[in-house]
Amino acid sequence: MRHVISVIVENKPGVLTRISALFSRRGFNIESLTVGHTENPKLSRMTIVVEGDTDILEQIEKQLYKLIDTLKVIDLPKDTSVNRELVLIKVIADKKNRSEIIQFTDIYRGKIVDVGENTLTIEITGDDGKLEAFISMMSKFGIKELVRTGKIALHRGEKTVM
């Protein structure tokens, strides 16, 4: 089972190293990791996606709380959170298929952010299903390059992590 964990940490040098070392030592695989400032510049939020059962999730939470820089650890289940990821994808676009790629980008509410002589670079955000469907659609045109930001997530409604 895939888990999205939100970790509030102090915004200090070396925190990312300590957390990634913890995952490495314990043999927990990180599927994606994003880090950014919160509304409080003294704090950062890490969104970590891991695969594992509830016992592994419990172990991860306990280990993270042992680190002095960790203030809060929250599991964000899919049904009670909003999850998004950003993808930049560079697709081969010649005269024959360029308009078709633009139409698919519009349908998926993507945005063309760069145009080359034989390529289009597209920005698209969404959940896993939307992004995988779009990437699959673009693969028939020829993907030259692709990069994903990693997932970010927040609780739905009024609930917050802090």
Side-chain angles (χ1 to χ4, degrees):
M1 180 177 201
R2 182 179 284 171
H3 296 277
V4 177
I5 304 169
S6 185
V7 184
I8 303 297
V9 296
E10 293 185 37
N11 185 11
K12 293 180 179 175
V15 173
L16 179 60
T17 300
R18 286 188 281 281
I19 288 181
S20 63
L22 179 152
F23 275 77
S24 175
R25 280 193 313 271
R26 298 291 177 172
F28 302 132
N29 186 37
I30 297 174
E31 283 190 25
S32 78
L33 169 68
T34 58
V35 183
H37 298 278
T38 66
E39 63 281 4
N40 179 347
K42 294 180 179 176
L43 302 177
S44 292
R45 178 191 292 251
M46 294 184 173
T47 305
I48 305 170
V49 178
V50 295
E51 185 80 27
D53 58 23
T54 52
D55 291 338
I56 289 177
L57 176 64
E58 186 179 323
Q59 280 299 311
I60 291 170
E61 288 178 352
K62 286 179 180 175
Q63 294 299 319
L64 285 169
Y65 274 121
K66 287 182 180 178
L67 298 175
I68 193 164
D69 305 306
T70 301
L71 303 176
K72 195 141 192 176
V73 181
I74 301 289
D75 180 31
L76 294 168
K78 191 173 185 176
D79 59 338
T80 61
S81 63
V82 178
N83 295 275
R84 292 292 182 268
E85 187 174 3
L86 183 141
V87 173
L88 289 176
I89 183 168
K90 187 176 290 187
V91 182
I92 298 168
D94 57 25
K95 289 178 182 174
K96 291 189 320 193
N97 64 15
R98 189 173 291 258
S99 64
E100 191 176 4
I101 293 169
I102 291 169
Q103 285 178 336
F104 281 126
T105 302
D106 288 341
I107 290 169
Y108 281 84
R109 296 186 192 138
K111 186 175 166 186
I112 295 174
V113 293
D114 188 57
V115 177
E117 191 172 325
N118 295 306
T119 61
L120 291 172
T121 301
I122 302 158
E123 170 190 307
I124 186 163
T125 60
D127 61 18
D128 289 337
K130 176 183 175 182
L131 297 179
E132 292 302 326
F134 186 75
I135 291 167
S136 174
M137 190 69 68
M138 291 299 109
S139 67
K140 76 177 186 183
F141 300 106
I143 297 171
K144 287 194 72 138
E145 195 170 21
L146 182 147
V147 64
R148 299 176 79 138
T149 60
K151 193 173 289 210
I152 55 171
L154 289 175
H155 281 294
R156 289 189 179 276
E158 302 297 318
K159 191 174 181 180
T160 64
V161 170
M162 295 306 285

